Amino acid sequence: MNFATSIQNAIKKFMGKTVVDEESVNELVKEIQKALITADVNVKQVFELSKKIKEQSLSKEMLKGISVRQHVIKVIYDELASILGDSYTPRLDRHKVMLVGLYGSGKTTTSAKLAYFYLKKGLNPYLISVDNDRPAAKEQLKQLSEKIHSQFCTSEGSCVDIIKGCSHGAAKSDVVIVDTAGRNAFDSDLAKELKDTYDEFRPDEVFLVVSADIGQVAGKHARAFKEAVPITGVIVTKMDGSGKAGGALTAVAETGTKLAFIGVGEKTDNLEVYNSERFVSKLLGMPDFQSLMEQMKEIEKNINVEESQEFDLDTFYTQMKAAKSAGSVGSMLGNMLGQMNVDKNMAENVDEMMAKFEVMISAMTKKERKDPELVRKSSSRVARIAKGSGTSEKDVRNLINQFMKSKDIYSKFSKDRGFRNKISKLLKGGGNVFGM
Ligand code: GDP
Ligand code: MG
């Protein structure tokens, strides 16, 4: 599972929770940690991030008008954005840019995209190819520069010779962009070539071009490149075709530099200035933060409606949990559990049981939660839920049976006002137990 998917799953699970408390936040943070560490992100950075998410999620200082659930997602959103660095502001003064990266990462395409970007900003770009490695490389950039009407320069000879040969023309333009050769894997030969080019060219910006689809290896490459030349920013290409944005995250974390641009297609205008908000939205699988907030409001509305209207699996779970957190519920809860016919072992391990219920319920669709009969009637649903929650089919059937029994008791109790009042009092502070 790649980085974006694991984070998205963790968030989906979290958003589906009826109760947001320390435990559910911890669980979410744990899953985010796992995802970040799998993506090679610096462990220290992961723990700092986790600490901040926990502290801020559970702090009382929330934005006005948003719920706890939204608040938690917003904290994660902000913290991820801060790990990726601030949004990039492109230089619009006269400056020199050098692009480095592996074969096929998109250097040549990106060189042309950048030239086009600056051209549109009113600057006069100048493209130089020092790629002596592939015979067609110079021709590729030449053709691209013709397409966008940018100046282009190259020559035979070493990288240093090419830069020298092009320096006269370069001096007359605003932005000079050097496209370098790549390798399948970084080696000392390339390192020397890049160092020599850097020393001769003296660029203001050195962009490492990383393809989003290389995933976690990006960190290793970033480190190697950074030893050769001082990387000032990362350009992640092929964001359009890959969900593996974790690689980019790693590259940035590893180099300690900022994301600068994002490539989102093969065309010359498929280049975006890196904007942390937009990028994290993609990472989290949300189109943008605003619509995420709206999406969550919708979810919450549904949850509230479900709770107040009928007794479904979510209600069942919330109430079990409320009953548990009420603490000394004593014999009354004992009685209820007895009536629910909860297996003695299970009742003794309420924690364990709740945890199991929770994962099983998270593995269900919304429809199934509302109508657990669907699950009871379908062995393929039972099998899917068991698999999705890492429990057994017996566990799933057991949950459904417990639910059915509780539902009976619920309807009986909800007609008996005296009993309802008693329980309400008993569980005061523990939540709206059994819908009363
Ligand atoms: P280089 O070897 O690093 O110079 O890589 P190229 O610039 O030649 O690009 C390699 C391939 O990736 C080409 O087919 C490009 O069209 C493609 N490519 C580059 N950037 C992007 C991008 O942002 N999105 C997509 N879909 N393809 C890209
Ligand atoms: Mg190239």
Side-chain angles (χ1 to χ4, degrees):
M1 207 186 326
N2 71 42
F3 177 77
T5 331
S6 7
I7 295 237
Q8 283 166 30
N9 285 348
I11 287 181
K12 238 185 263 165
K13 200 162 137 195
F14 177 77
M15 294 209 296
K17 289 255 162 82
T18 45
V19 185
V20 177
D21 55 7
E22 196 168 339
E23 205 180 309
S24 52
V25 169
N26 283 343
E27 193 189 336
L28 176 63
V29 168
K30 244 187 232 158
E31 299 203 10
I32 289 173
Q33 278 180 349
K34 241 194 285 170
L36 288 167
I37 286 171
T38 312
D40 277 351
V41 175
N42 186 296
V43 174
K44 197 172 146 237
Q45 211 169 7
V46 173
F47 284 117
E48 270 163 22
L49 180 88
S50 314
K51 209 175 114 207
K52 275 193 202 152
I53 293 178
K54 273 191 213 171
E55 277 168 10
Q56 295 181 28
S57 294
L58 300 167
S59 87
K60 293 279 178 292
E61 277 176 44
M62 289 199 282
L63 288 173
K64 249 185 156 165
I66 74 169
S67 70
V68 190
R69 211 181 262 99
Q70 288 172 321
H71 170 73
V72 173
I73 301 295
K74 176 151 175 39
V75 169
I76 289 168
Y77 191 95
D78 291 345
E79 289 305 320
L80 279 175
S82 87
I83 235 192
L84 287 163
D86 300 329
S87 300
Y88 178 72
T89 312
R91 289 180 68 141
L92 296 175
D93 57 340
R94 283 194 62 160
H95 69 292
K96 294 190 281 184
V97 183
M98 175 173 165
L99 271 70
V100 301
L102 295 180
Y103 267 150
S105 58
K107 290 176 300 301
T108 306
T109 316
T110 306
S111 302
K113 284 178 179 177
L114 278 176
Y116 186 66
F117 172 83
Y118 292 119
L119 200 68
K120 279 192 301 181
K121 299 275 178 203
L123 301 182
N124 179 20
Y126 193 85
L127 285 163
I128 301 175
S129 173
V130 298
D131 188 346
N132 285 323
D133 236 59
R134 283 195 310 194
K138 291 172 180 167
E139 185 57 30
Q140 186 193 353
L141 189 61
K142 182 167 180 274
Q143 284 177 10
L144 286 170
S145 57
E146 279 164 9
K147 231 163 101 184
I148 57 169
H149 307 292
S150 162
Q151 298 175 81
F152 171 76
C153 180
T154 192
S155 64
E156 297 305 309
S158 71
C159 296
V160 171
D161 288 344
I162 300 174
I163 299 283
K164 278 185 177 151
C166 294
S167 65
H168 188 66
K172 284 186 276 182
S173 49
D174 302 321
V175 187
V176 187
I177 302 163
V178 167
D179 178 28
T180 62
R183 289 291 185 281
N184 282 323
F186 192 84
D187 60 28
S188 56
D189 185 40
L190 179 65
K192 183 171 184 324
E193 193 178 309
L194 294 179
K195 268 185 202 140
D196 290 348
T197 307
Y198 179 88
D199 288 342
E200 180 60 35
F201 183 48
R202 292 270 133 208
D204 304 292
E205 296 269 35
V206 181
F207 292 135
L208 171 67
V209 182
V210 180
S211 166
D213 60 19
I214 71 166
Q216 299 165 34
V217 205
K220 202 180 103 204
H221 297 314
R223 224 173 297 138
F225 274 98
K226 208 190 172 192
E227 263 176 37
V229 280
I231 306 291
T232 60
V234 175
I235 299 180
V236 183
T237 63
K238 306 183 195 176
M239 274 294 285
D240 50 314
S242 169
K244 283 207 225 169
L249 182 87
T250 318
V252 176
E254 288 289 340
T255 57
T257 52
K258 300 212 289 185
L259 273 159
F261 291 92
I262 306 285
V264 291
E266 295 189 68
K267 296 208 190 86
T268 336
D269 62 350
N270 293 149
L271 184 75
E272 291 173 5
V273 176
Y274 169 67
N275 174 295
S276 57
E277 191 163 301
R278 209 180 310 143
F279 191 84
V280 175
S281 292
K282 268 187 191 158
L283 209 61
L284 302 185
M286 318 287 176
D288 61 62
F289 193 65
Q290 204 48 45
S291 62
L292 161 69
M293 285 291 135
E294 273 151 28
Q295 207 178 320
M296 295 207 340
K297 271 186 196 139
E298 209 43 49
I299 290 170
E300 282 164 349
K301 218 165 70 195
N302 288 341
I303 288 173
N304 291 337
V305 168
E306 279 165 24
E307 273 171 15
S308 60
Q309 280 181 348
E310 51 185 314
F311 190 76
D312 61 14
L313 263 176
D314 280 326
T315 329
F316 172 58
Y317 179 74
T318 314
Q319 293 176 351
M320 293 283 292
K321 190 142 176 158
K324 191 193 110 198
S325 66
S328 59
V329 284
S331 60
M332 192 67 86
L333 179 63
N335 275 337
M336 287 201 298
L337 289 175
Q339 297 217 40
M340 282 190 219
N341 210 2
V342 175
D343 162 341
K344 268 230 167 65
N345 265 337
M346 271 183 113
E348 273 163 22
N349 291 309
V350 179
D351 272 327
E352 216 181 286
M353 176 182 74
M354 297 293 297
K356 242 184 194 170
F357 279 7
E358 197 172 332
V359 287
M360 288 189 277
I361 292 173
S362 328
M364 291 180 193
T365 66
K366 216 169 126 186
K367 239 169 122 183
E368 288 166 345
R369 288 187 210 182
K370 273 188 87 72
D371 184 11
E373 271 288 344
L374 280 177
V375 179
R376 189 158 70 169
K377 282 190 251 163
S378 156
S379 52
S380 66
R381 283 185 196 260
V382 171
R384 193 206 79 235
I385 295 161
K387 202 165 163 232
S389 59
T391 59
S392 71
E393 297 189 15
K394 195 176 150 223
D395 285 332
V396 177
R397 291 193 189 283
N398 187 30
L399 164 69
I400 302 297
N401 288 338
Q402 295 304 335
F403 166 77
M404 294 298 176
K405 281 172 196 153
S406 313
K407 192 173 178 175
D408 283 351
I409 296 165
Y410 172 76
S411 54
K412 214 162 52 189
F413 285 172
S414 58
K415 286 179 199 123
D416 180 346
R417 184 179 291 204
F419 189 79
R420 257 179 11 222
N421 287 343
K422 251 199 238 165
I423 295 186
S424 296
K425 238 189 217 156
L426 185 72
L427 299 179
K428 220 166 88 189
N432 201 9
V433 176
F434 276 45
M436 289 170 278

